[in-house]
Amino acid sequence: MSGPVVRFAPSPTGLIHIGNARTALLNALYARKLGGTFILRLDDTDRARSEERFADAIKQDLDWLGIPPDQIETQSSRMSRYEDALAKLRAVGRVYACYETEDELERKRKRQLGRGLPPVYDRASLAMSGEDRAKFESEGRKPYWRFKLDHRVIKWDDLVRGEIAIDTASLSDPVVRRADGTWLYSLASVVDDIDMKVTHIIRGEDHITNTAAQLDMFAALGGDARTFAHHNLLTLPGGEGLSKRFGSLSIQSLREAGQEALAIAAAAVLTGTSLAVEPVETLGALAEKIDFKKISHGPARFDPADLDALTAKTLHAASFASVEDRLKVLDVGGGEKFWLAVRGNLARLSEAKEWWEVVSAPMASKIADSDRDFCKLAETLLPAEPWSEKIWDEWLAAIKPVANRKGRELFHPLRIALTARENGPELRALLPLIGRARASARLRGEKA
Ligand code: GLU
């Protein structure tokens, strides 16, 4: 028995944001944890709004987040499967042609709302006589198609929300095909889930009512019911949703702003659960934390301002192996020793470059006049090479008895002389990386 088959099914009509990443990560990591398959399914039946560049951006974002799909599917290449399904449903009387225009439907809805009724489709087209149909057809009206719900209470045991029961009599029969022949997600998604043998449908709670209708479609098409998990949606602190237009929270812009993929993953998965939102060292560790029962039933309030701290903490704990390739791209050398020396001071990985320059490239002196003599004295006390890991302590032990300085007065000028920075990683770790020749010249106030 192989692991679960899951899918992330975005429409390539825009960039994905951190709220979409929540769905993608919950799917991908659930599959990873249980040795399953993660499918990226591009819901691109809306040909007018779907764009190749958004499909590419979504793939790039998933790769960057560390969850490249095991399989990629597109609905646009599966039209004949939807035709087959429609024919099958038609043969058993589970779809029917409808002739209302958008305006007529809108007027109906308004009338119902005006009378205090829910705007549920009244099945007027289903009740139409053959003659009326023929009349519409002769006028050139093309039908659109609805799935005829079997009015009953549909129940499922949701992995997040427990038992859910929805009476399909309270729902409109879902439109499955428009008059122009295009398909709607409602049926296409069920056909795909059957064909692709999807076992777990993990998606946002905004799809709960769709699930009742789709379970009815699964049954009508002879597919088994799937397991569902409807997670809460990320919202901003004030409760507003993260619309796709919220450009600054797109995965692309977060990447460009230097946020760490692992920090975004931790925020996306852990916010709105009973677990603490804290950094993780690997996606595998994050996958281990996934437990649908720990996802809250209320909204998942997410403050974008928290990402900076999460990115910093992620870097502070990052192993050298996990950043080695990216440091190479930044042209940062120094190996693991350098990384361990500076990681605790980074807010963004790119800052490692500045510290690499501090230890490896010539820099102008910033020693204050009042500290020149002290720095020169300290220079004469620099131990001879070879330097061990203890060099900083040995040097200080030599300086202290003769310098007549302590605390900040002692350390700050040395920091300025050696790094030309007010703050930074511990000098204990930096000094061996700077090396004796460069340290000596810098202490003498030379550009080195
Ligand atoms: N394209 C749908 C969406 O993005 C997919 C929903 C689903 O996972 O079934 O909301």
Side-chain angles (χ1 to χ4, degrees):
M1 187 64 200
S2 49
V5 178
V6 298
R7 84 296 194 281
F8 170 53
S11 299
T13 53
L15 295 174
I16 55 167
H17 56 58
I18 185 162
N20 308 121
R22 178 177 183 77
T23 310
L25 283 154
L26 284 171
N27 275 286
L29 298 182
Y30 184 69
R32 184 176 296 190
K33 178 165 147 174
L34 299 173
T37 305
F38 171 49
I39 302 174
L40 166 64
R41 191 170 74 214
L42 295 159
D43 278 9
D44 58 353
T45 50
D46 185 343
R47 299 310 289 154
R49 290 175 58 231
S50 298
E51 293 186 41
E52 199 59 40
R53 67 186 169 113
F54 291 131
D56 290 342
I58 291 169
K59 289 177 211 162
Q60 188 190 3
D61 289 346
L62 296 184
D63 287 352
W64 180 73
L65 284 168
I67 48 169
D70 301 310
Q71 192 178 323
I72 299 180
E73 303 282 351
T74 50
Q75 290 191 328
S76 55
S77 62
R78 296 177 37 78
M79 301 296 174
S80 65
R81 294 297 299 144
Y82 310 143
E83 293 281 359
D84 292 349
L86 190 76
K88 193 168 169 185
L89 293 172
R90 214 174 150 179
V92 292
R94 293 301 301 274
V95 283
Y96 58 98
C98 302
Y99 294 87
E100 296 93 347
T101 62
E102 256 315 308
D103 280 352
E104 285 162 357
L105 287 173
E106 187 52 35
R107 276 201 298 277
K108 267 190 204 193
R109 279 194 287 266
K110 281 206 177 119
R111 270 200 306 276
Q112 286 169 310
L113 288 170
R115 279 187 278 145
L117 298 170
V120 174
Y121 179 63
D122 61 4
R123 292 188 165 174
S125 285
L126 184 61
M128 244 166 38
S129 68
E131 248 167 69
D132 293 340
R133 267 173 226 278
K135 187 168 167 290
F136 275 134
E137 301 267 345
S138 70
E139 283 170 11
R141 281 214 204 189
K142 288 244 172 309
Y144 71 98
W145 295 83
R146 286 187 191 259
F147 174 74
K148 184 169 170 269
L149 289 166
D150 177 17
H151 285 170
R152 62 193 163 109
V153 175
I154 294 215
K155 287 187 188 164
W156 72 94
D157 191 12
D158 196 274
L159 293 184
V160 176
R161 305 180 68 95
E163 189 176 271
I164 299 183
I166 293 181
D167 185 350
T168 54
S170 67
L171 309 177
S172 292
D173 287 335
V175 177
V176 294
R177 190 176 209 180
R178 296 189 191 88
D180 66 4
T182 54
W183 298 96
L184 275 104
Y185 145 83
S186 48
L187 175 70
S189 167
V190 170
V191 174
D192 292 346
D193 288 335
I194 294 173
D195 286 355
M196 294 165 199
K197 301 188 171 51
V198 169
T199 59
H200 291 68
I201 298 178
I202 304 166
R203 59 184 177 187
E205 63 189 11
D206 50 334
H207 285 289
I208 287 180
T209 13
N210 286 339
T211 296
Q214 289 182 337
L215 277 168
D216 198 15
M217 288 187 205
F218 276 114
L221 286 167
D224 297 333
R226 316 283 135 153
T227 302
F228 285 87
H230 289 94
H231 64 78
N232 52 4
L233 303 179
L234 286 192
T235 70
L236 293 170
E240 323 86 279
L242 316 177
S243 97
K244 280 192 186 168
R245 263 160 284 149
F246 209 104
S248 64
L249 290 178
S250 71
I251 298 303
Q252 189 178 84
S253 50
L254 293 172
R255 174 169 63 240
E256 283 164 7
Q259 302 289 3
E260 286 295 301
L262 262 183
I264 293 173
V269 169
L270 300 173
T271 302
T273 72
S274 58
L275 299 163
V277 183
E278 56 190 13
V280 286
E281 281 182 38
T282 60
L283 279 181
L286 188 58
E288 284 308 313
K289 287 177 183 250
I290 290 180
D291 176 350
F292 292 119
K293 287 283 169 270
K294 290 190 175 152
I295 295 180
S296 333
H297 296 185
R301 289 185 201 281
F302 161 72
D303 189 346
D306 295 343
L307 267 186
D308 283 335
L310 210 51
T311 278
K313 285 190 206 156
T314 300
L315 288 169
H316 300 172
S319 68
F320 177 61
S322 72
V323 291
E324 191 174 359
D325 292 345
R326 294 162 67 206
L327 290 176
K328 261 190 212 131
V329 174
L330 288 171
D331 225 351
V332 169
E336 184 165 21
K337 247 193 199 146
F338 170 77
W339 174 248
L340 295 181
V342 303
R343 66 177 182 178
N345 273 78
L346 305 178
R348 293 286 191 270
L349 187 84
S350 57
E351 293 169 7
K353 176 87 177 166
E354 291 166 40
W355 290 110
W356 176 237
E357 279 166 8
V358 164
V359 302
S360 69
M363 119 206 137
S365 170
K366 288 201 177 155
I367 302 175
D369 287 344
S370 53
D371 290 325
R372 281 189 195 287
D373 290 345
F374 165 64
C375 288
K376 278 189 186 138
L377 169 68
E379 191 275 331
T380 63
L381 299 168
L382 269 179
E385 285 179 317
W387 279 5
S388 77
E389 296 297 308
K390 297 213 174 80
I391 195 63
W392 171 253
D393 296 313
E394 287 168 26
W395 186 34
L396 272 194
I399 299 173
K400 274 184 182 160
V402 291
N404 204 19
R405 288 183 182 222
K406 54 181 196 286
R408 186 177 157 84
E409 280 231 289
L410 172 71
F411 294 109
H412 194 61
L414 296 178
R415 177 172 290 284
I416 296 284
L418 292 170
T419 70
R421 300 280 192 291
E422 291 289 332
N423 302 296
E426 285 196 2
L427 291 172
R428 169 179 280 105
L430 288 182
L431 183 60
L433 294 162
I434 293 170
R436 194 178 194 289
R438 184 163 267 130
S440 159
R442 286 180 182 178
L443 287 160
R444 280 184 268 120
E446 291 163 16
K447 179 171 179 182

